[in-house]
Amino acid sequence: DTTPDPTLVTTIGNLAPNPSFETGTNTPAPWDVSSGTGTWAGFGRTNARCVSLTGDGIILNRWYTTSSAAQDGQPYIMRFWTSCSNSIGGNCFAGFNTVYTDFPLPGAAWTNYSSVFWIPSVANKFLNLGQVSINGTINFDDVELYPVRPIHKSAGGLTLGAGEKLDVGR
C-alpha cells in the first residue's frame, strides 16, 4: 500500500520543500538544477509552475534540494507527477541520491509515480527528480514526501518481519 500514515501526514506534513515549485526568484526555492538544461516552467499540473529538464539522449541531469527534513534510517513514500510530449528514450528517476527509483518515460498526460524506500545514514544526502538519456523535455510537479510506518503481518500469534512467512510445520 502506498498510502502514507494519516497520523504522520497530519502531524509532520509534506517533507518536500516547495512541492509545486510555486515560490522563488530565478529558480524554485530551494531547488537547483545539477547540469544541462533545467527550466522553471510557466505551467503546472495543479498551479502556475513546474520544473522541466531537457536532455540530449546522453547526459543525466536533475533538480535537487538539500532542504528536505527527511531523517536517516526512516522509511518514506515519495509521490510526484511527471509528463513529456516530445521525448524519446530514457527514463526518469526520483528519491534521494542514496536511494531512488527509476520510472518509465511518461506520456503527454500527467502521470503519477510513487515509491517507498528507507533512507540510509550517509552524509550529504539530497532529494532529487531527474532524467537519464531522454532526448527531449520532461516535466515534474506536485512532489510529496511523507514518513510511513511499516505494518508487520501477524500469523499464528507471531508478528512477521520483512521476508518472513509461516508454513505448515515451520
Side-chain angles (χ1 to χ4, degrees), residues 76-167:
Y76 292 90
I77 182 171
M78 182 176 184
R79 296 189 294 206
F80 65 98
W81 291 84
T82 182
S83 69
C84 57
S85 59
N86 66 344
S87 301
I88 56 173
N91 62 314
C92 63
F93 63 91
F96 283 83
N97 58 313
T98 55
V99 56
Y100 59 89
T101 303
D102 291 327
F103 297 94
L105 192 64
W110 285 102
T111 303
N112 186 242
Y113 288 132
S114 65
S115 66
V116 176
F117 49 83
W118 187 277
I119 299 177
S121 182
V122 297
N124 304 318
K125 73 177 181 298
F126 54 86
L127 180 63
N128 58 175
L129 302 157
Q131 66 81 24
V132 179
S133 303
I134 290 177
N135 190 358
T137 301
I138 185 167
N139 312 301
F140 297 95
D141 203 2
D142 300 327
V143 181
E144 297 176 283
L145 180 67
Y146 295 106
V148 293
R149 184 174 293 137
I151 299 174
H152 299 285
K153 185 176 182 179
S154 294
L158 301 171
T159 300
L160 304 178
E164 293 181 325
K165 65 180 181 176
L166 293 177
D167 286 330

Side-chain angles (χ1 to χ4, degrees), residues 40-99:
W40 190 23
F43 64 93
R45 185 185 83 85
T46 55
N47 292 305
R49 296 284 198 159
C50 71
V51 291
S52 300
L53 294 168
T54 300
D56 61 5
I58 299 169
I59 194 168
L60 171 149
N61 62 342
R62 72 190 78 181
W63 282 95
Y64 70 95
T65 180
T66 58
S67 295
S68 170
Q71 300 293 310
D72 294 347
Q74 300 296 316
Y76 292 90
I77 182 171
M78 182 176 184
R79 296 189 294 206
F80 65 98
W81 291 84
T82 182
S83 69
C84 57
S85 59
N86 66 344
S87 301
I88 56 173
N91 62 314
C92 63
F93 63 91
F96 283 83
N97 58 313
T98 55
V99 56

